[in-house]
């Protein structure tokens, strides 16, 4: 069992932290809580195009904006009633039970809690490479071995290699982000089912569905309903447009959920919860947002392909493009045109992640890309 001093030390890294927002790799050395991402020239200008953090430029639904504004009247209270209502609405829509769902300050805090709950020096984390990194960062920070399995060319998780790595390392946790961040690629549901069936007994499969609403793939909530060794994470940061409001959900069997909440669960921001409830109650906006994102992504990918720059298959609000050179230098060059794209990953140094923005923003991206790549 984790000793309490260690638990408190690591909890200091979790609560709505920069690391859980996916910003940790951008930070310098020193305490994470004391630093912010570097201020890049022009990034705060009104004409800057921000395609770097997988945010949704449309922002919250109109109904969510109104609900958040109304919620400010009670923002001075710790209100647990609305949190219960958020869970009640979600479980009713997804045929779950209330003891299978917990609210979090974004999905990142739940990722950190999963690392602390299910990995240790004796229980490794198995994860893809590249993928969202905060889980591996937290697991490594408290001494757990981290086994990274490269993604194949199509971007789907190599579930056979992950299962083998999990058995060899005595994994406590296996992580699948689907669709994957940064690639936007999907792992077909049948492959996730195979991984669940072939992982080591007693280990937990964590499926991060931050981008599931952009995808044509079925979700995995039915695995929770069936009582499997699965934790599913959801966030309001992506298609719901609430990245700056920090709201998410963890879904799991009650005993697994209890292990998570021991490492951090508290009252959530009242305006964010109000916006989350309104978002769930107005699902009619989801199809239009998905369709617009798909159209803009595919138009941009086709334009890039015509110029000889291949992209990995994506079903998310981002894609990875081969810039045929150093990804960091490319991102810096784009920034000089006030078009701020994502970064490259060590496993894919020639690829850069690009968020799907508005039609006007993607036009600016194409203009800058043409200039930068010559």
């Amino acid at each position: 069992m984790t000793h309490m001093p260690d638990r408190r030390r690591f909890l200091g890294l979790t609560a709505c932290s920069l690391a859980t927002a996916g910003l940790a790799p951008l930070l310098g050395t020193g305490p994470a809580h004391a630093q912010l991402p570097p201020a890049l020239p022009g990034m705060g200008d009104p004409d800057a195009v921000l395609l770097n953090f997988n945010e949704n430029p449309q922002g919250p639904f109109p109904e969510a904006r109104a609900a958040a504004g109304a919620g400010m009247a009670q923002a001075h209270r710790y209100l647990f009633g609305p949190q219960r209502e958020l869970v009640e609405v979600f479980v009713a829509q997804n045929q779950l039970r209330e003891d299978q769902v917990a609210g979090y300050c974004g999905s990142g805090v739940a990722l950190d809690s999963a690392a602390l709950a299910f990995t240790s020096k004796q229980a490794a984390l198995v994860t893809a490479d590249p993928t969202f990194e905060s889980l591996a960062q937290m697991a490594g920070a408290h001494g757990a071995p981290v086994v990274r399995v490269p993604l194949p060319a199509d971007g789907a998780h190599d579930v056979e290699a992950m299962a083998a790595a999990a058995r060899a390392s005595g994994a406590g946790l296996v992580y699948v982000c689907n669709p994957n961040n940064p690639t936007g690629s999907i792992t077909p549901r049948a492959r996730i089912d195979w991984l669940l069936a072939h992982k080591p007994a007693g280990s937990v499969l964590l499926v991060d569905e931050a981008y599931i609403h952009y995808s044509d793939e079925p979700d995995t909530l039915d695995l929770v309903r069936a009582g499997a060794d699965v934790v599913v994470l959801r966030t309001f940061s992506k298609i719901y447009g609430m990245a700056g409001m920090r709201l998410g959900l963890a879904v799991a069997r009650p005993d697994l959920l209890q292990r998570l909440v021991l490492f951090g669960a508290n009252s959530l921001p009242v305006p964010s919860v109000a916006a989350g409830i309104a978002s769930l109650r107005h699902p009619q906006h989801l199809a239009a947002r998905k369709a617009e994102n798909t159209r803009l992504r595919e138009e941009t990918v086709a334009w890039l392909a015509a110029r000889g720059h291949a992209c990995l298959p994506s079903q998310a609000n981002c894609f990875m493009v081969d810039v045929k050179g150093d990804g960091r230098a490319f991102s810096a060059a784009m920034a000089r045109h006030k078009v701020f794209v994502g970064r490259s990953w060590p496993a894919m140094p020639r690829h850069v992640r690009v968020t799907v923005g508005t039609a006007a923003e993607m036009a600016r991206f194409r203009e800058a890309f043409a200039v930068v790549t010559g």
Side-chain angles (χ1 to χ4, degrees):
M1 175 176 288
T2 306
H3 295 296
M4 187 60 67
D6 290 336
R7 180 184 299 180
R8 287 174 178 163
R9 177 166 60 90
F10 286 110
L11 282 176
L13 299 173
T14 65
C16 298
S17 66
L18 290 171
T20 60
L23 305 180
L26 303 179
L27 301 174
T29 58
H33 66 273
Q35 299 192 35
L36 294 172
L40 300 177
M43 191 170 170
D45 292 356
D47 60 342
V49 175
L50 305 181
L51 307 176
N52 47 349
F53 290 147
N54 288 359
E55 298 152 339
N56 186 336
Q58 298 182 58
F61 296 169
E63 298 87 351
R65 293 175 189 264
M72 285 298 297
Q74 294 182 296
H76 59 301
R77 302 292 185 190
Y78 299 117
L79 294 185
F80 297 99
Q83 289 183 219
R84 296 188 185 97
E85 183 179 356
L86 176 72
V87 170
E88 289 168 0
V89 174
F90 185 81
V91 301
Q93 291 178 345
N94 293 283
Q95 298 80 53
L96 294 160
R97 300 193 314 268
E98 292 180 26
D99 63 355
Q100 295 172 318
V101 182
Y104 277 90
C105 182
S107 59
V109 177
L111 285 167
D112 286 351
S113 297
L116 297 171
F118 303 119
T119 73
S120 67
K121 293 179 180 179
Q122 295 76 38
L125 166 68
V126 173
T127 185
D129 188 20
T131 193
F132 191 59
E133 297 155 314
S134 71
L135 183 65
Q137 290 164 349
M138 182 58 75
H142 85 115
V146 177
V147 182
R148 294 176 171 84
V149 177
L151 293 175
D154 65 357
H157 286 68
D158 187 343
V159 296
E160 289 84 0
M162 294 181 79
R167 291 191 295 269
S169 63
L173 189 63
V174 181
Y175 177 56
V176 172
C177 184
N178 196 42
N180 188 43
N181 178 14
T183 58
S185 49
I186 62 161
T187 299
R189 171 58 194 272
R191 306 307 294 146
I192 294 176
D193 291 342
W194 187 95
L195 180 58
L196 178 64
H198 291 83
K199 69 172 183 60
S203 64
V204 173
L205 175 63
L206 176 56
V207 184
D208 186 345
E209 294 187 339
Y211 301 89
I212 195 66
H213 296 97
Y214 291 112
S215 170
D216 296 328
E217 281 297 299
D219 64 38
T220 54
L221 295 178
D222 61 299
L223 297 176
V224 176
R225 291 193 290 268
D229 295 329
V230 172
V231 174
V232 180
L233 300 185
R234 292 289 183 88
T235 183
F236 289 85
S237 295
K238 305 307 173 184
I239 203 166
Y240 293 108
M242 292 170 51
M245 300 182 77
R246 312 312 302 139
L247 186 66
L249 297 168
V251 188
R253 210 171 59 217
D255 62 304
L256 298 179
L257 201 61
Q258 181 61 25
R259 291 174 66 182
L260 276 184
V261 300
L262 286 175
F263 287 95
N266 210 321
S267 60
L268 301 177
V270 173
S272 299
V273 172
I277 294 169
S279 296
L280 292 178
R281 286 180 169 162
H282 292 86
Q284 69 272 16
H285 299 298
L286 294 173
R289 287 195 168 192
K290 176 183 175 182
E292 178 71 356
N293 176 83
T294 300
R295 180 182 70 82
L296 292 171
R297 185 190 66 228
E298 295 309 306
E299 284 180 358
T300 307
V301 167
W303 182 87
L304 290 165
R307 297 182 65 87
H309 291 271
C311 300
L312 271 70
S314 173
Q315 289 191 25
N317 67 334
C318 63
F319 56 88
M320 291 283 276
V321 56
D322 185 350
V323 299
K324 298 185 175 181
D326 182 78
R328 292 172 298 178
F330 170 83
S331 297
M334 292 288 284
R336 289 192 285 273
H337 294 270
K338 292 190 179 181
V339 177
F340 297 87
V341 297
R343 58 192 175 88
S344 58
W345 269 249
M348 301 178 67
R350 291 166 50 95
H351 285 73
V352 169
R353 187 187 69 187
V354 180
T355 301
V356 178
T358 64
E361 288 171 338
M362 300 318 290
R364 285 274 306 277
F365 166 78
R366 292 191 294 271
E367 292 171 4
F369 189 97
V371 173
V372 168
T373 59

